[in-house]
Amino acid sequence: MAEVEVSHDCAVQTITLNRPDKLNAFTHALHGELQAALEEARDPAVRAVVITGAGRGFSAGQDLTAFGEARDVAAMLRATYHVNVTAIRSLEKPVIAAVNGVCAGAGLSLACACDIRLASDAAFFVPGFVGIGLIPDSGGTYFIQRLLGTPRAFEWMTSNRRLTAAEALAWGLVSEVVEADAFSARVAEHAAGLAAAPTRAIALTKRLYDEAATSTLEEQLEREAAAQAEAAQTGDFREGVAAFGEKREARFSGS
Ligand code: LHQ
């Protein structure tokens, strides 16, 4: 059985972590299949990506039973988690983490590496790392600091406190909480909306926000000017302006 399943619905690619008996904990095989799925998502026909989990978990992080033989932890992180986290950030389209259930350790880091987090009301969030004497890896110090700010990120990640979906919403960790029964439909609706949006402008916006974290205002204004010049060359910009003039909904093609 595949440890990652990939499906397509029009321009939306859904990537499902698929080890439900182990709450989709990461193995070497799962990393490899996730890497292949993210590579597949680079196809221009894909205009939005959803990452979710099978069963009652999003991901419980590293499979702690499959980790024992990893002698060089840093090399293991570089070869697996780093590859997939950077693939998500460099993917030129929006990536939704559809957090269907428990989200812990590097599973939490992966969710936080995505552009948008939607949570089922059955989801809960656990740092995990500190519970086994580790630091938040796979971007856990980078993304969670940006999402929550240093004081809250530090306090949470060092407490191992279990956060409900409602608390995650109140903290700004997720943007929406949906009843479990309605979750997949809401995720599909949100992803379809993004897939019908001007893909190039969204890709440029994603990159600009990533760069803004370490830029001066002057650098960022220049980056915006260059990106806007690029966006203004797209078919979607022409379509957007034409639709405005004709008082109709724009039909963006991603071109
Ligand atoms: C698991 C796991 C799991 C294997 C649940 N592995 N089986 C990077 C590089 C190098 C080294 C290590 O780490 C990393 C990054 C990391 O991700 S470190 C953090 C690793 N994750 C954790 O420490 C979380 C461990 N899991 C838990 O604390 C709980 O399972 C949570 C809070 C996630 C869920 O609790 P429950 O809802 O009560 O579920 P459960 O504990 O009953 O788990 C269900 C099954 O899943 C169970 O298997 P079993 O055969 O007994 O039914 C668990 O053993 C298995 N499972 N997490 N990470």
Side-chain angles (χ1 to χ4, degrees):
M1 194 172 67
E3 296 199 354
V4 169
E5 285 189 339
V6 176
S7 62
H8 295 90
D9 184 5
C10 299
V12 177
Q13 177 174 319
T14 298
I15 299 172
T16 305
L17 310 179
N18 189 35
R19 300 185 69 226
D21 294 348
K22 298 295 172 193
L23 301 178
N24 307 314
F26 291 102
T27 59
H28 196 76
L30 189 148
H31 277 297
E33 291 179 38
L34 178 56
Q35 191 181 334
L38 289 167
E39 185 66 35
E40 195 179 326
R42 294 162 66 97
D43 183 332
V46 174
R47 295 172 62 194
V49 175
V50 174
I51 302 180
T52 193
R56 74 175 181 88
F58 177 76
S59 172
Q62 171 65 33
D63 187 315
L64 296 173
T65 64
F67 163 66
E69 289 124 48
R71 299 228 176 276
D72 187 340
V73 175
M76 178 261 209
L77 284 169
R78 287 186 200 105
T80 54
Y81 292 96
H82 295 194
V83 175
N84 286 325
V85 165
T86 52
I88 290 169
R89 292 315 318 144
S90 62
L91 200 57
E92 294 187 326
K93 50 202 84 182
V95 182
I96 299 175
V99 185
N100 53 300
V102 50
C103 183
L108 173 62
S109 301
L110 187 90
C112 292
C114 295
D115 299 298
I116 293 169
R117 277 153 298 286
L118 306 179
S120 156
D121 63 3
F124 62 95
F125 300 80
V126 184
F129 302 98
V130 71
I132 55 169
L134 293 180
I135 62 96
D137 62 23
S138 311
T141 60
Y142 185 93
F143 299 113
I144 295 171
Q145 190 261 356
R146 279 162 177 71
L147 283 164
L148 302 183
T150 301
R152 182 164 264 173
F154 178 81
E155 190 177 344
W156 184 37
M157 298 309 281
T158 55
S159 73
N160 215 22
R161 170 177 164 194
R162 176 189 281 225
L163 219 62
T164 64
E167 288 170 321
L169 181 65
W171 282 17
L173 189 69
V174 303
S175 53
E176 200 175 320
V177 176
V178 183
E179 275 182 31
D181 287 351
F183 187 58
S184 55
R186 173 65 191 126
V187 169
E189 179 187 46
H190 201 308
L194 284 168
T199 309
R200 195 65 211 137
I202 289 180
L204 291 166
T205 305
K206 172 173 177 168
R207 197 177 74 204
L208 285 163
Y209 275 115
D210 279 355
E211 290 169 343
T214 53
S215 294
T216 64
L217 174 61
E218 290 71 19
E219 287 166 343
Q220 199 59 17
L221 288 171
E222 272 313 306
R223 287 191 172 123
E224 288 173 3
Q228 197 68 296
E230 190 179 333
Q233 296 300 316
T234 62
D236 281 342
F237 173 60
R238 285 191 295 279
E239 164 62 8
V241 173
F244 176 78
E246 292 160 22
K247 299 190 186 303
R248 61 170 174 82
E249 283 284 310
R251 290 181 297 271
F252 297 117
S253 65
S255 65

